[in-house]
mmCIF file of all heavy atoms in Angstrom:
data_model
loop_
_atom_site.group_PDB
_atom_site.id
_atom_site.type_symbol
_atom_site.label_atom_id
_atom_site.label_comp_id
_atom_site.label_asym_id
_atom_site.label_seq_id
_atom_site.Cartn_x
_atom_site.Cartn_y
_atom_site.Cartn_z
ATOM 1 N N ALA A 89 25.948 17.181 -3.537
ATOM 2 C CA ALA A 89 25.860 15.992 -4.396
ATOM 3 C C ALA A 89 24.904 16.235 -5.566
ATOM 4 O O ALA A 89 25.211 15.894 -6.708
ATOM 5 C CB ALA A 89 25.409 14.779 -3.584
ATOM 6 N N CYS A 90 23.769 16.851 -5.266
ATOM 7 C CA CYS A 90 22.789 17.122 -6.327
ATOM 8 C C CYS A 90 23.346 18.082 -7.375
ATOM 9 O O CYS A 90 23.051 17.947 -8.562
ATOM 10 C CB CYS A 90 21.507 17.690 -5.731
ATOM 11 S SG CYS A 90 20.513 16.479 -4.839
ATOM 12 N N MET A 91 24.141 19.032 -6.939
ATOM 13 C CA MET A 91 24.680 20.005 -7.889
ATOM 14 C C MET A 91 25.834 19.445 -8.718
ATOM 15 O O MET A 91 26.340 20.119 -9.605
ATOM 16 C CB MET A 91 25.104 21.282 -7.168
ATOM 17 C CG MET A 91 23.906 22.104 -6.685
ATOM 18 S SD MET A 91 22.584 22.348 -7.914
ATOM 19 C CE MET A 91 23.437 23.304 -9.153
ATOM 20 N N SER A 92 26.220 18.191 -8.470
ATOM 21 C CA SER A 92 27.241 17.564 -9.318
ATOM 22 C C SER A 92 26.694 17.310 -10.723
ATOM 23 O O SER A 92 27.460 17.061 -11.644
ATOM 24 C CB SER A 92 27.736 16.254 -8.690
ATOM 25 O OG SER A 92 26.720 15.266 -8.714
ATOM 26 N N MET A 93 25.382 17.397 -10.867
ATOM 27 C CA MET A 93 24.733 17.265 -12.176
ATOM 28 C C MET A 93 23.799 18.457 -12.360
ATOM 29 O O MET A 93 22.582 18.322 -12.277
ATOM 30 C CB MET A 93 23.985 15.935 -12.264
ATOM 31 C CG MET A 93 24.905 14.740 -12.081
ATOM 32 S SD MET A 93 24.060 13.178 -12.268
ATOM 33 C CE MET A 93 23.889 13.121 -14.045
ATOM 34 N N PRO A 94 24.365 19.643 -12.607
ATOM 35 C CA PRO A 94 23.578 20.885 -12.604
ATOM 36 C C PRO A 94 22.547 21.005 -13.723
ATOM 37 O O PRO A 94 21.664 21.858 -13.643
ATOM 38 C CB PRO A 94 24.643 21.983 -12.713
ATOM 39 C CG PRO A 94 25.824 21.311 -13.332
ATOM 40 C CD PRO A 94 25.778 19.887 -12.880
ATOM 41 N N ASP A 95 22.622 20.160 -14.727
ATOM 42 C CA ASP A 95 21.650 20.242 -15.827
ATOM 43 C C ASP A 95 20.366 19.470 -15.542
ATOM 44 O O ASP A 95 19.391 19.605 -16.268
ATOM 45 C CB ASP A 95 22.279 19.740 -17.127
ATOM 46 C CG ASP A 95 23.429 20.626 -17.593
ATOM 47 O OD1 ASP A 95 23.415 21.832 -17.261
ATOM 48 O OD2 ASP A 95 24.336 20.118 -18.271
ATOM 49 N N ASP A 96 20.372 18.654 -14.519
ATOM 50 C CA ASP A 96 19.194 17.869 -14.156
ATOM 51 C C ASP A 96 18.272 18.739 -13.308
ATOM 52 O O ASP A 96 18.628 19.139 -12.190
ATOM 53 C CB ASP A 96 19.632 16.617 -13.387
ATOM 54 C CG ASP A 96 18.476 15.684 -13.078
ATOM 55 O OD1 ASP A 96 17.485 16.132 -12.468
ATOM 56 O OD2 ASP A 96 18.585 14.490 -13.450
ATOM 57 N N GLN A 97 17.083 19.034 -13.805
ATOM 58 C CA GLN A 97 16.161 19.952 -13.127
ATOM 59 C C GLN A 97 15.653 19.405 -11.800
ATOM 60 O O GLN A 97 15.471 20.153 -10.844
ATOM 61 C CB GLN A 97 14.989 20.316 -14.043
ATOM 62 C CG GLN A 97 15.394 21.193 -15.221
ATOM 63 C CD GLN A 97 16.100 22.467 -14.765
ATOM 64 O OE1 GLN A 97 15.586 23.232 -13.955
ATOM 65 N NE2 GLN A 97 17.287 22.699 -15.291
ATOM 66 N N GLN A 98 15.428 18.096 -11.732
ATOM 67 C CA GLN A 98 14.977 17.500 -10.463
ATOM 68 C C GLN A 98 16.064 17.640 -9.401
ATOM 69 O O GLN A 98 15.787 18.013 -8.270
ATOM 70 C CB GLN A 98 14.629 16.017 -10.668
ATOM 71 C CG GLN A 98 14.175 15.311 -9.406
ATOM 72 C CD GLN A 98 12.831 15.804 -8.875
ATOM 73 O OE1 GLN A 98 11.963 16.209 -9.641
ATOM 74 N NE2 GLN A 98 12.665 15.776 -7.569
ATOM 75 N N LEU A 99 17.303 17.364 -9.771
ATOM 76 C CA LEU A 99 18.406 17.497 -8.825
ATOM 77 C C LEU A 99 18.605 18.959 -8.417
ATOM 78 O O LEU A 99 18.917 19.250 -7.254
ATOM 79 C CB LEU A 99 19.697 16.927 -9.406
ATOM 80 C CG LEU A 99 19.736 15.397 -9.529
ATOM 81 C CD1 LEU A 99 20.955 14.952 -10.314
ATOM 82 C CD2 LEU A 99 19.714 14.740 -8.158
ATOM 83 N N LYS A 100 18.390 19.855 -9.343
ATOM 84 C CA LYS A 100 18.523 21.282 -9.044
ATOM 85 C C LYS A 100 17.458 21.722 -8.033
ATOM 86 O O LYS A 100 17.761 22.429 -7.070
ATOM 87 C CB LYS A 100 18.406 22.088 -10.335
ATOM 88 C CG LYS A 100 18.672 23.561 -10.162
ATOM 89 C CD LYS A 100 18.633 24.264 -11.503
ATOM 90 C CE LYS A 100 18.905 25.743 -11.326
ATOM 91 N NZ LYS A 100 18.911 26.458 -12.601
ATOM 92 N N ARG A 101 16.225 21.283 -8.239
ATOM 93 C CA ARG A 101 15.139 21.602 -7.296
ATOM 94 C C ARG A 101 15.437 21.032 -5.913
ATOM 95 O O ARG A 101 15.207 21.670 -4.898
ATOM 96 C CB ARG A 101 13.808 21.010 -7.771
ATOM 97 C CG ARG A 101 13.046 21.819 -8.748
ATOM 98 C CD ARG A 101 11.713 21.193 -9.090
ATOM 99 N NE ARG A 101 11.475 19.963 -8.328
ATOM 100 C CZ ARG A 101 10.297 19.535 -7.910
ATOM 101 N NH1 ARG A 101 9.231 20.181 -8.186
ATOM 102 N NH2 ARG A 101 10.163 18.420 -7.218
#
Side-chain angles (χ1 to χ4, degrees):
C90 287
M91 288 313 296
S92 69
M93 300 183 76
D95 295 333
D96 185 305
Q97 291 304 305
Q98 179 67 32
L99 289 171
K100 186 176 180 179
R101 276 183 2 147

